[in-house]
Amino acid sequence: EPEVTQTPSHQVTQMGQEVILRCVPISNHLYFYWYRQILGQKVEFLVSFYNNEISEKSEIFDDQFSVERPDGSNFTLKIRSTKLEDSAMYFCASSDSRGNNYGYTFGSGTRLTVV
Amino acid sequence: GEDVEQSLFLSVREGDSSVINCTYTDSSSTYLYWYKQEPGAGLQLLTYIFSNMDMKQDQRLTVLLNKKDKHLSLRIADTQTGDSAIYFCAESRLSGNKLVFGAGTILRVKS
C-alpha cells in the first residue's frame, strides 16, 4: 500500500536554529499538507499546498514557516528560527482530491524537540 | 466556527463494545472521519462517512451520524487489546480541504 514517508522521525534542535522537515508524498497525489500535534493537544492544520503554491494556511503558519516542493517527489516544511513552543509532532499528508472523499494519507510524523 | 469535541478517555473490557462520541459545530461539514493513532505512530484512517448518510458499517466498526444534533459516534464491536489507541474524530468542509480534528479519545482495553 502506498505510503507517505517522513524524515527524520525525530529531530532535536537548538532554539533559534533553522530546521527542515522532509516528506515524500504518495506519487500520484496532488494535494499536500502539514499538520502539527503539540504533546497532549489536538492535531492542528498548518498549511495545504497545490499546484506549487499554498492554497490555505492557518494562523499558526506565520512568517517563520515556509513550504516547498523542490523537486517532483519531496515536500518540505522549513521553520526559520525555532522556538521552544515549536516542539511538536509534525505530520505530512497527501491526497489526490480535495480530501473530501476519503481523507488523506498521513505520514508517521517527525517529532521535533527544540531545546 | 469550527470545533470538534470528544470525551477524553474510555475504558472497556476485552470483548465488550466501545462507543466513542464526537460533536462538531460546523453545519457545512461534508465528510466526517475517524482516525486511529497508536503510540509513536501516525494517523491511520479507520473510516469516514458522508454527511448525507446516517450509518456506515465496516466489519467491527459502525459509524452513526446524527446530522441534526451534529453528533458522530464510532462503535467498535468485540473490542480487542489491539484496539487500545487514541481515536480522533475529524471533519472537512465542502469549501475547504483541511481537516479539523477533535482532541482525541484514549481507548484503553482491559484484558
Side-chain angles (χ1 to χ4, degrees), chain B residues 6 20-22 32-36 44-49 61-64 72-75 87-90 105:
Chain B
Q6 299 178 238
I20 302 171
N21 294 300
C22 170
L32 295 128
Y33 308 86
W34 285 103
Y35 281 86
K36 177 183 180 183
Q44 174 197 353
L45 177 65
L46 284 179
T47 187
Y48 66 95
I49 189 168
L61 306 178
T62 303
V63 179
L64 295 178
L72 181 74
S73 67
L74 173 69
R75 180 176 178 270
Y87 290 80
F88 291 95
C89 172
T105 298

Side-chain angles (χ1 to χ4, degrees), chain B residues 85-97:
Chain B
I86 303 175
Y87 290 80
F88 291 95
C89 172
E91 60 93 8
S92 67
R93 288 185 292 162
L94 186 63
S95 59
N97 58 355

